[in-house]
PDB file of all heavy atoms in Angstrom:
ATOM      1  N   PRO U 184    -184.843 -32.673 -66.025  1.00 90.00           N
ATOM      2  CA  PRO U 184    -185.802 -32.899 -67.104  1.00 90.00           C
ATOM      3  C   PRO U 184    -187.083 -32.101 -66.883  1.00 90.00           C
ATOM      4  O   PRO U 184    -187.447 -31.756 -65.782  1.00 90.00           O
ATOM      5  CB  PRO U 184    -186.086 -34.398 -67.036  1.00 90.00           C
ATOM      6  CG  PRO U 184    -184.974 -34.970 -66.212  1.00 90.00           C
ATOM      7  CD  PRO U 184    -184.568 -33.906 -65.265  1.00 90.00           C
ATOM      8  N   VAL U 185    -187.729 -31.778 -67.975  1.00 91.00           N
ATOM      9  CA  VAL U 185    -189.053 -31.145 -67.959  1.00 91.00           C
ATOM     10  C   VAL U 185    -190.098 -32.229 -68.178  1.00 91.00           C
ATOM     11  O   VAL U 185    -189.981 -33.035 -69.113  1.00 91.00           O
ATOM     12  CB  VAL U 185    -189.170 -30.043 -69.047  1.00 91.00           C
ATOM     13  CG1 VAL U 185    -190.626 -29.553 -69.123  1.00 91.00           C
ATOM     14  CG2 VAL U 185    -188.235 -28.889 -68.691  1.00 91.00           C
ATOM     15  N   HIS U 186    -191.109 -32.265 -67.339  1.00 91.00           N
ATOM     16  CA  HIS U 186    -192.164 -33.275 -67.439  1.00 91.00           C
ATOM     17  C   HIS U 186    -193.360 -32.695 -68.180  1.00 91.00           C
ATOM     18  O   HIS U 186    -193.917 -31.664 -67.779  1.00 91.00           O
ATOM     19  CB  HIS U 186    -192.560 -33.753 -66.053  1.00 91.00           C
ATOM     20  CG  HIS U 186    -191.441 -34.416 -65.293  1.00 91.00           C
ATOM     21  ND1 HIS U 186    -191.105 -35.746 -65.417  1.00 91.00           N
ATOM     22  CD2 HIS U 186    -190.523 -33.862 -64.444  1.00 91.00           C
ATOM     23  CE1 HIS U 186    -190.065 -36.027 -64.662  1.00 91.00           C
ATOM     24  NE2 HIS U 186    -189.686 -34.894 -64.038  1.00 91.00           N
ATOM     25  N   LEU U 187    -193.682 -33.316 -69.299  1.00 91.00           N
ATOM     26  CA  LEU U 187    -194.775 -32.816 -70.148  1.00 91.00           C
ATOM     27  C   LEU U 187    -195.958 -33.782 -70.104  1.00 91.00           C
ATOM     28  O   LEU U 187    -195.778 -35.016 -70.127  1.00 91.00           O
ATOM     29  CB  LEU U 187    -194.318 -32.678 -71.593  1.00 91.00           C
ATOM     30  CG  LEU U 187    -193.170 -31.691 -71.868  1.00 91.00           C
ATOM     31  CD1 LEU U 187    -192.876 -31.660 -73.374  1.00 91.00           C
ATOM     32  CD2 LEU U 187    -193.523 -30.299 -71.384  1.00 91.00           C
ATOM     33  N   LYS U 188    -197.135 -33.195 -70.067  1.00 90.00           N
ATOM     34  CA  LYS U 188    -198.358 -34.010 -70.182  1.00 90.00           C
ATOM     35  C   LYS U 188    -199.035 -33.797 -71.531  1.00 90.00           C
ATOM     36  O   LYS U 188    -199.966 -34.532 -71.875  1.00 90.00           O
ATOM     37  CB  LYS U 188    -199.314 -33.675 -69.044  1.00 90.00           C
ATOM     38  CG  LYS U 188    -198.828 -34.133 -67.680  1.00 90.00           C
ATOM     39  CD  LYS U 188    -199.903 -33.988 -66.609  1.00 90.00           C
ATOM     40  CE  LYS U 188    -199.416 -34.533 -65.278  1.00 90.00           C
ATOM     41  NZ  LYS U 188    -200.463 -34.439 -64.236  1.00 90.00           N
ATOM     42  N   THR U 189    -198.571 -32.744 -72.254  1.00 92.00           N
ATOM     43  CA  THR U 189    -199.121 -32.456 -73.576  1.00 92.00           C
ATOM     44  C   THR U 189    -198.163 -32.989 -74.632  1.00 92.00           C
ATOM     45  O   THR U 189    -197.111 -32.382 -74.899  1.00 92.00           O
ATOM     46  CB  THR U 189    -199.333 -30.958 -73.775  1.00 92.00           C
ATOM     47  OG1 THR U 189    -200.159 -30.461 -72.739  1.00 92.00           O
ATOM     48  CG2 THR U 189    -199.991 -30.689 -75.122  1.00 92.00           C
ATOM     49  N   PHE U 190    -198.473 -34.133 -75.190  1.00 92.00           N
ATOM     50  CA  PHE U 190    -197.604 -34.731 -76.186  1.00 92.00           C
ATOM     51  C   PHE U 190    -198.417 -35.771 -76.972  1.00 92.00           C
ATOM     52  O   PHE U 190    -199.495 -36.197 -76.517  1.00 92.00           O
ATOM     53  CB  PHE U 190    -196.392 -35.413 -75.549  1.00 92.00           C
ATOM     54  CG  PHE U 190    -196.747 -36.588 -74.660  1.00 92.00           C
ATOM     55  CD1 PHE U 190    -196.811 -37.881 -75.165  1.00 92.00           C
ATOM     56  CD2 PHE U 190    -197.051 -36.374 -73.329  1.00 92.00           C
ATOM     57  CE1 PHE U 190    -197.142 -38.932 -74.352  1.00 92.00           C
ATOM     58  CE2 PHE U 190    -197.396 -37.438 -72.500  1.00 92.00           C
ATOM     59  CZ  PHE U 190    -197.440 -38.727 -73.014  1.00 92.00           C
ATOM     60  N   VAL U 191    -197.892 -36.137 -78.149  1.00 93.00           N
ATOM     61  CA  VAL U 191    -198.524 -37.172 -78.986  1.00 93.00           C
ATOM     62  C   VAL U 191    -197.421 -38.059 -79.548  1.00 93.00           C
ATOM     63  O   VAL U 191    -196.485 -37.540 -80.164  1.00 93.00           O
ATOM     64  CB  VAL U 191    -199.350 -36.575 -80.128  1.00 93.00           C
ATOM     65  CG1 VAL U 191    -199.885 -37.674 -81.046  1.00 93.00           C
ATOM     66  CG2 VAL U 191    -200.529 -35.748 -79.585  1.00 93.00           C
ATOM     67  N   PRO U 192    -197.455 -39.380 -79.359  1.00 93.00           N
ATOM     68  CA  PRO U 192    -196.452 -40.243 -79.987  1.00 93.00           C
ATOM     69  C   PRO U 192    -196.563 -40.178 -81.517  1.00 93.00           C
ATOM     70  O   PRO U 192    -197.659 -40.185 -82.062  1.00 93.00           O
ATOM     71  CB  PRO U 192    -196.824 -41.644 -79.484  1.00 93.00           C
ATOM     72  CG  PRO U 192    -197.655 -41.400 -78.250  1.00 93.00           C
ATOM     73  CD  PRO U 192    -198.395 -40.126 -78.513  1.00 93.00           C
ATOM     74  N   VAL U 193    -195.428 -40.107 -82.207  1.00 95.00           N
ATOM     75  CA  VAL U 193    -195.413 -40.054 -83.664  1.00 95.00           C
ATOM     76  C   VAL U 193    -194.303 -40.984 -84.188  1.00 95.00           C
ATOM     77  O   VAL U 193    -193.365 -41.313 -83.456  1.00 95.00           O
ATOM     78  CB  VAL U 193    -195.157 -38.635 -84.190  1.00 95.00           C
ATOM     79  CG1 VAL U 193    -196.322 -37.717 -83.911  1.00 95.00           C
ATOM     80  CG2 VAL U 193    -193.846 -38.058 -83.637  1.00 95.00           C
ATOM     81  N   HIS U 194    -194.473 -41.407 -85.425  1.00 95.00           N
ATOM     82  CA  HIS U 194    -193.462 -42.202 -86.122  1.00 95.00           C
ATOM     83  C   HIS U 194    -192.969 -41.402 -87.338  1.00 95.00           C
ATOM     84  O   HIS U 194    -193.589 -40.429 -87.757  1.00 95.00           O
ATOM     85  CB  HIS U 194    -194.063 -43.536 -86.579  1.00 95.00           C
ATOM     86  CG  HIS U 194    -194.578 -44.372 -85.443  1.00 95.00           C
ATOM     87  ND1 HIS U 194    -193.750 -45.019 -84.555  1.00 95.00           N
ATOM     88  CD2 HIS U 194    -195.852 -44.638 -85.042  1.00 95.00           C
ATOM     89  CE1 HIS U 194    -194.480 -45.675 -83.650  1.00 95.00           C
ATOM     90  NE2 HIS U 194    -195.770 -45.451 -83.928  1.00 95.00           N
ATOM     91  N   THR U 195    -191.863 -41.858 -87.901  1.00 94.00           N
ATOM     92  CA  THR U 195    -191.335 -41.199 -89.099  1.00 94.00           C
ATOM     93  C   THR U 195    -192.391 -41.225 -90.193  1.00 94.00           C
ATOM     94  O   THR U 195    -192.909 -42.273 -90.564  1.00 94.00           O
ATOM     95  CB  THR U 195    -190.068 -41.917 -89.593  1.00 94.00           C
ATOM     96  OG1 THR U 195    -189.095 -41.890 -88.556  1.00 94.00           O
ATOM     97  CG2 THR U 195    -189.513 -41.225 -90.832  1.00 94.00           C
ATOM     98  N   GLY U 196    -192.741 -40.031 -90.709  1.00 91.00           N
ATOM     99  CA  GLY U 196    -193.749 -39.915 -91.737  1.00 91.00           C
ATOM    100  C   GLY U 196    -195.145 -39.643 -91.221  1.00 91.00           C
ATOM    101  O   GLY U 196    -196.059 -39.364 -91.994  1.00 91.00           O
ATOM    102  N   SER U 197    -195.317 -39.672 -89.893  1.00 92.00           N
ATOM    103  CA  SER U 197    -196.643 -39.393 -89.313  1.00 92.00           C
ATOM    104  C   SER U 197    -196.986 -37.913 -89.438  1.00 92.00           C
ATOM    105  O   SER U 197    -196.121 -37.054 -89.264  1.00 92.00           O
ATOM    106  CB  SER U 197    -196.688 -39.794 -87.834  1.00 92.00           C
ATOM    107  OG  SER U 197    -196.467 -41.165 -87.661  1.00 92.00           O
ATOM    108  N   PRO U 198    -198.272 -37.583 -89.707  1.00 94.00           N
ATOM    109  CA  PRO U 198    -198.671 -36.157 -89.695  1.00 94.00           C
ATOM    110  C   PRO U 198    -198.503 -35.572 -88.308  1.00 94.00           C
ATOM    111  O   PRO U 198    -198.711 -36.251 -87.298  1.00 94.00           O
ATOM    112  CB  PRO U 198    -200.157 -36.209 -90.102  1.00 94.00           C
ATOM    113  CG  PRO U 198    -200.354 -37.538 -90.762  1.00 94.00           C
ATOM    114  CD  PRO U 198    -199.385 -38.466 -90.092  1.00 94.00           C
ATOM    115  N   ILE U 199    -198.134 -34.302 -88.243  1.00 95.00           N
ATOM    116  CA  ILE U 199    -198.007 -33.604 -86.968  1.00 95.00           C
ATOM    117  C   ILE U 199    -199.359 -33.046 -86.587  1.00 95.00           C
ATOM    118  O   ILE U 199    -199.964 -32.294 -87.336  1.00 95.00           O
ATOM    119  CB  ILE U 199    -196.987 -32.459 -87.081  1.00 95.00           C
ATOM    120  CG1 ILE U 199    -195.609 -33.006 -87.501  1.00 95.00           C
ATOM    121  CG2 ILE U 199    -196.873 -31.706 -85.759  1.00 95.00           C
ATOM    122  CD1 ILE U 199    -195.012 -33.990 -86.534  1.00 95.00           C
ATOM    123  N   PRO U 200    -199.895 -33.430 -85.422  1.00 94.00           N
ATOM    124  CA  PRO U 200    -201.208 -32.927 -84.989  1.00 94.00           C
ATOM    125  C   PRO U 200    -201.204 -31.411 -84.854  1.00 94.00           C
ATOM    126  O   PRO U 200    -200.174 -30.779 -84.581  1.00 94.00           O
ATOM    127  CB  PRO U 200    -201.428 -33.602 -83.650  1.00 94.00           C
ATOM    128  CG  PRO U 200    -200.480 -34.755 -83.625  1.00 94.00           C
ATOM    129  CD  PRO U 200    -199.303 -34.349 -84.440  1.00 94.00           C
ATOM    130  N   ASP U 201    -202.355 -30.801 -85.049  1.00 92.00           N
ATOM    131  CA  ASP U 201    -202.488 -29.351 -84.888  1.00 92.00           C
ATOM    132  C   ASP U 201    -202.094 -28.937 -83.478  1.00 92.00           C
ATOM    133  O   ASP U 201    -202.419 -29.609 -82.490  1.00 92.00           O
ATOM    134  CB  ASP U 201    -203.918 -28.908 -85.185  1.00 92.00           C
ATOM    135  CG  ASP U 201    -204.302 -29.089 -86.637  1.00 92.00           C
ATOM    136  OD1 ASP U 201    -203.376 -29.146 -87.460  1.00 92.00           O
ATOM    137  OD2 ASP U 201    -205.501 -29.150 -86.920  1.00 92.00           O
ATOM    138  N   GLY U 202    -201.440 -27.804 -83.389  1.00 93.00           N
ATOM    139  CA  GLY U 202    -201.045 -27.262 -82.093  1.00 93.00           C
ATOM    140  C   GLY U 202    -199.671 -27.646 -81.640  1.00 93.00           C
ATOM    141  O   GLY U 202    -199.138 -27.077 -80.679  1.00 93.00           O
ATOM    142  N   PHE U 203    -199.052 -28.636 -82.315  1.00 95.00           N
ATOM    143  CA  PHE U 203    -197.690 -29.048 -81.950  1.00 95.00           C
ATOM    144  C   PHE U 203    -196.697 -28.523 -82.989  1.00 95.00           C
ATOM    145  O   PHE U 203    -196.989 -28.494 -84.180  1.00 95.00           O
ATOM    146  CB  PHE U 203    -197.615 -30.568 -81.874  1.00 95.00           C
ATOM    147  CG  PHE U 203    -198.488 -31.162 -80.777  1.00 95.00           C
ATOM    148  CD1 PHE U 203    -199.821 -31.484 -81.009  1.00 95.00           C
ATOM    149  CD2 PHE U 203    -197.963 -31.360 -79.513  1.00 95.00           C
ATOM    150  CE1 PHE U 203    -200.631 -31.991 -80.025  1.00 95.00           C
ATOM    151  CE2 PHE U 203    -198.755 -31.901 -78.497  1.00 95.00           C
ATOM    152  CZ  PHE U 203    -200.092 -32.208 -78.739  1.00 95.00           C
ATOM    153  N   ASP U 204    -195.518 -28.107 -82.527  1.00 93.00           N
ATOM    154  CA  ASP U 204    -194.571 -27.494 -83.439  1.00 93.00           C
ATOM    155  C   ASP U 204    -193.161 -28.087 -83.388  1.00 93.00           C
ATOM    156  O   ASP U 204    -192.219 -27.518 -83.924  1.00 93.00           O
ATOM    157  CB  ASP U 204    -194.473 -25.991 -83.180  1.00 93.00           C
ATOM    158  CG  ASP U 204    -193.978 -25.642 -81.785  1.00 93.00           C
ATOM    159  OD1 ASP U 204    -193.769 -26.594 -80.984  1.00 93.00           O
ATOM    160  OD2 ASP U 204    -193.795 -24.459 -81.499  1.00 93.00           O
ATOM    161  N   ALA U 205    -192.980 -29.228 -82.736  1.00 95.00           N
ATOM    162  CA  ALA U 205    -191.639 -29.837 -82.672  1.00 95.00           C
ATOM    163  C   ALA U 205    -191.804 -31.333 -82.395  1.00 95.00           C
ATOM    164  O   ALA U 205    -192.826 -31.797 -81.865  1.00 95.00           O
ATOM    165  CB  ALA U 205    -190.788 -29.199 -81.605  1.00 95.00           C
ATOM    166  N   VAL U 206    -190.742 -32.086 -82.736  1.00 95.00           N
ATOM    167  CA  VAL U 206    -190.702 -33.522 -82.445  1.00 95.00           C
ATOM    168  C   VAL U 206    -189.412 -33.794 -81.648  1.00 95.00           C
ATOM    169  O   VAL U 206    -188.333 -33.327 -82.048  1.00 95.00           O
ATOM    170  CB  VAL U 206    -190.742 -34.371 -83.731  1.00 95.00           C
ATOM    171  CG1 VAL U 206    -190.420 -35.835 -83.425  1.00 95.00           C
ATOM    172  CG2 VAL U 206    -192.104 -34.274 -84.401  1.00 95.00           C
ATOM    173  N   ILE U 207    -189.553 -34.513 -80.558  1.00 93.00           N
ATOM    174  CA  ILE U 207    -188.400 -34.924 -79.778  1.00 93.00           C
ATOM    175  C   ILE U 207    -188.191 -36.414 -80.000  1.00 93.00           C
ATOM    176  O   ILE U 207    -189.147 -37.227 -79.891  1.00 93.00           O
ATOM    177  CB  ILE U 207    -188.603 -34.614 -78.298  1.00 93.00           C
ATOM    178  CG1 ILE U 207    -188.726 -33.098 -78.093  1.00 93.00           C
ATOM    179  CG2 ILE U 207    -187.431 -35.165 -77.469  1.00 93.00           C
ATOM    180  CD1 ILE U 207    -188.886 -32.671 -76.656  1.00 93.00           C
ATOM    181  N   MET U 208    -186.941 -36.783 -80.341  1.00 92.00           N
ATOM    182  CA  MET U 208    -186.666 -38.187 -80.648  1.00 92.00           C
ATOM    183  C   MET U 208    -186.864 -39.073 -79.432  1.00 92.00           C
ATOM    184  O   MET U 208    -186.715 -38.649 -78.272  1.00 92.00           O
ATOM    185  CB  MET U 208    -185.230 -38.311 -81.162  1.00 92.00           C
ATOM    186  CG  MET U 208    -185.004 -37.680 -82.513  1.00 92.00           C
ATOM    187  SD  MET U 208    -183.388 -38.105 -83.222  1.00 92.00           S
ATOM    188  CE  MET U 208    -182.292 -37.370 -82.008  1.00 92.00           C
ATOM    189  N   GLN U 209    -187.159 -40.316 -79.745  1.00 89.00           N
ATOM    190  CA  GLN U 209    -187.445 -41.311 -78.713  1.00 89.00           C
ATOM    191  C   GLN U 209    -186.307 -41.385 -77.681  1.00 89.00           C
ATOM    192  O   GLN U 209    -186.548 -41.472 -76.475  1.00 89.00           O
ATOM    193  CB  GLN U 209    -187.636 -42.693 -79.375  1.00 89.00           C
ATOM    194  CG  GLN U 209    -187.999 -43.811 -78.419  1.00 89.00           C
ATOM    195  CD  GLN U 209    -189.465 -43.810 -78.076  1.00 89.00           C
ATOM    196  OE1 GLN U 209    -190.294 -43.600 -78.942  1.00 89.00           O
ATOM    197  NE2 GLN U 209    -189.791 -44.011 -76.804  1.00 89.00           N
ATOM    198  N   GLU U 210    -185.044 -41.320 -78.174  1.00 87.00           N
ATOM    199  CA  GLU U 210    -183.919 -41.513 -77.273  1.00 87.00           C
ATOM    200  C   GLU U 210    -183.669 -40.312 -76.353  1.00 87.00           C
ATOM    201  O   GLU U 210    -182.862 -40.399 -75.418  1.00 87.00           O
ATOM    202  CB  GLU U 210    -182.637 -41.827 -78.059  1.00 87.00           C
ATOM    203  CG  GLU U 210    -182.363 -40.825 -79.197  1.00 87.00           C
ATOM    204  CD  GLU U 210    -182.904 -41.309 -80.519  1.00 87.00           C
ATOM    205  OE1 GLU U 210    -184.006 -41.896 -80.549  1.00 87.00           O
ATOM    206  OE2 GLU U 210    -182.214 -41.075 -81.530  1.00 87.00           O
ATOM    207  N   ASP U 211    -184.333 -39.197 -76.612  1.00 87.00           N
ATOM    208  CA  ASP U 211    -184.174 -38.003 -75.779  1.00 87.00           C
ATOM    209  C   ASP U 211    -185.333 -37.861 -74.761  1.00 87.00           C
ATOM    210  O   ASP U 211    -185.542 -36.789 -74.202  1.00 87.00           O
ATOM    211  CB  ASP U 211    -184.092 -36.743 -76.638  1.00 87.00           C
ATOM    212  CG  ASP U 211    -182.839 -36.727 -77.498  1.00 87.00           C
ATOM    213  OD1 ASP U 211    -181.813 -37.307 -77.065  1.00 87.00           O
ATOM    214  OD2 ASP U 211    -182.869 -36.133 -78.590  1.00 87.00           O
ATOM    215  N   VAL U 212    -186.075 -38.919 -74.588  1.00 89.00           N
ATOM    216  CA  VAL U 212    -187.261 -38.858 -73.722  1.00 89.00           C
ATOM    217  C   VAL U 212    -187.220 -40.042 -72.734  1.00 89.00           C
ATOM    218  O   VAL U 212    -186.797 -41.133 -73.084  1.00 89.00           O
ATOM    219  CB  VAL U 212    -188.557 -38.922 -74.577  1.00 89.00           C
ATOM    220  CG1 VAL U 212    -189.779 -39.091 -73.694  1.00 89.00           C
ATOM    221  CG2 VAL U 212    -188.672 -37.693 -75.428  1.00 89.00           C
ATOM    222  N   ARG U 213    -187.673 -39.775 -71.523  1.00 86.00           N
ATOM    223  CA  ARG U 213    -187.883 -40.839 -70.540  1.00 86.00           C
ATOM    224  C   ARG U 213    -189.382 -40.938 -70.259  1.00 86.00           C
ATOM    225  O   ARG U 213    -190.043 -39.914 -70.028  1.00 86.00           O
ATOM    226  CB  ARG U 213    -187.162 -40.545 -69.207  1.00 86.00           C
ATOM    227  CG  ARG U 213    -185.635 -40.617 -69.314  1.00 86.00           C
ATOM    228  CD  ARG U 213    -185.037 -40.222 -67.993  1.00 86.00           C
ATOM    229  NE  ARG U 213    -183.565 -40.183 -68.080  1.00 86.00           N
ATOM    230  CZ  ARG U 213    -182.796 -39.608 -67.162  1.00 86.00           C
ATOM    231  NH1 ARG U 213    -183.366 -39.042 -66.074  1.00 86.00           N
ATOM    232  NH2 ARG U 213    -181.494 -39.595 -67.305  1.00 86.00           N
ATOM    233  N   LEU U 214    -189.884 -42.133 -70.294  1.00 80.00           N
ATOM    234  CA  LEU U 214    -191.310 -42.349 -70.046  1.00 80.00           C
ATOM    235  C   LEU U 214    -191.543 -42.444 -68.539  1.00 80.00           C
ATOM    236  O   LEU U 214    -190.919 -43.277 -67.856  1.00 80.00           O
ATOM    237  CB  LEU U 214    -191.781 -43.626 -70.716  1.00 80.00           C
ATOM    238  CG  LEU U 214    -191.839 -43.591 -72.253  1.00 80.00           C
ATOM    239  CD1 LEU U 214    -192.234 -44.965 -72.784  1.00 80.00           C
ATOM    240  CD2 LEU U 214    -192.859 -42.558 -72.698  1.00 80.00           C
ATOM    241  N   ASN U 215    -192.390 -41.559 -68.037  1.00 72.00           N
ATOM    242  CA  ASN U 215    -192.764 -41.635 -66.626  1.00 72.00           C
ATOM    243  C   ASN U 215    -193.943 -42.600 -66.452  1.00 72.00           C
ATOM    244  O   ASN U 215    -193.890 -43.576 -65.697  1.00 72.00           O
ATOM    245  CB  ASN U 215    -193.139 -40.260 -66.094  1.00 72.00           C
ATOM    246  CG  ASN U 215    -191.930 -39.337 -66.017  1.00 72.00           C
ATOM    247  OD1 ASN U 215    -190.822 -39.822 -65.915  1.00 72.00           O
ATOM    248  ND2 ASN U 215    -192.163 -38.029 -66.069  1.00 72.00           N
ATOM    249  N   ASP U 216    -195.005 -42.324 -67.163  1.00 73.00           N
ATOM    250  CA  ASP U 216    -196.188 -43.189 -67.181  1.00 73.00           C
ATOM    251  C   ASP U 216    -196.942 -42.835 -68.458  1.00 73.00           C
ATOM    252  O   ASP U 216    -196.421 -42.099 -69.306  1.00 73.00           O
ATOM    253  CB  ASP U 216    -197.045 -42.982 -65.933  1.00 73.00           C
ATOM    254  CG  ASP U 216    -197.343 -41.514 -65.693  1.00 73.00           C
ATOM    255  OD1 ASP U 216    -197.741 -40.820 -66.627  1.00 73.00           O
ATOM    256  OD2 ASP U 216    -197.148 -41.067 -64.533  1.00 73.00           O
ATOM    257  N   SER U 217    -198.124 -43.340 -68.595  1.00 73.00           N
ATOM    258  CA  SER U 217    -198.883 -43.101 -69.841  1.00 73.00           C
ATOM    259  C   SER U 217    -199.349 -41.656 -69.966  1.00 73.00           C
ATOM    260  O   SER U 217    -199.772 -41.235 -71.045  1.00 73.00           O
ATOM    261  CB  SER U 217    -200.079 -44.055 -69.902  1.00 73.00           C
ATOM    262  OG  SER U 217    -200.934 -43.819 -68.792  1.00 73.00           O
ATOM    263  N   ASP U 218    -199.254 -40.889 -68.872  1.00 84.00           N
ATOM    264  CA  ASP U 218    -199.772 -39.517 -68.893  1.00 84.00           C
ATOM    265  C   ASP U 218    -198.706 -38.450 -69.032  1.00 84.00           C
ATOM    266  O   ASP U 218    -199.005 -37.274 -69.251  1.00 84.00           O
ATOM    267  CB  ASP U 218    -200.589 -39.246 -67.618  1.00 84.00           C
ATOM    268  CG  ASP U 218    -201.832 -40.103 -67.544  1.00 84.00           C
ATOM    269  OD1 ASP U 218    -202.394 -40.385 -68.628  1.00 84.00           O
ATOM    270  OD2 ASP U 218    -202.229 -40.475 -66.426  1.00 84.00           O
ATOM    271  N   SER U 219    -197.417 -38.809 -68.890  1.00 88.00           N
ATOM    272  CA  SER U 219    -196.371 -37.798 -68.970  1.00 88.00           C
ATOM    273  C   SER U 219    -195.083 -38.380 -69.484  1.00 88.00           C
ATOM    274  O   SER U 219    -194.853 -39.592 -69.406  1.00 88.00           O
ATOM    275  CB  SER U 219    -196.172 -37.162 -67.598  1.00 88.00           C
ATOM    276  OG  SER U 219    -195.599 -38.114 -66.711  1.00 88.00           O
ATOM    277  N   ILE U 220    -194.228 -37.504 -69.998  1.00 91.00           N
ATOM    278  CA  ILE U 220    -192.886 -37.877 -70.447  1.00 91.00           C
ATOM    279  C   ILE U 220    -191.913 -36.859 -69.874  1.00 91.00           C
ATOM    280  O   ILE U 220    -192.259 -35.703 -69.608  1.00 91.00           O
ATOM    281  CB  ILE U 220    -192.782 -37.923 -71.973  1.00 91.00           C
ATOM    282  CG1 ILE U 220    -193.191 -36.578 -72.594  1.00 91.00           C
ATOM    283  CG2 ILE U 220    -193.603 -39.056 -72.566  1.00 91.00           C
ATOM    284  CD1 ILE U 220    -192.977 -36.505 -74.083  1.00 91.00           C
ATOM    285  N   ALA U 221    -190.663 -37.320 -69.715  1.00 92.00           N
ATOM    286  CA  ALA U 221    -189.603 -36.437 -69.225  1.00 92.00           C
ATOM    287  C   ALA U 221    -188.716 -36.055 -70.382  1.00 92.00           C
ATOM    288  O   ALA U 221    -188.154 -36.910 -71.064  1.00 92.00           O
ATOM    289  CB  ALA U 221    -188.815 -37.143 -68.127  1.00 92.00           C
TER     290      ALA U 221
END
């Protein structure tokens, strides 16, 4: 897995914040802590 610290939680229909260009589904992510995701 790749560990990212640059991410924003989103829901269906949520605006995409500036600077982000993709959404990864909840089931394809492992939560490490509040500061990073796998």
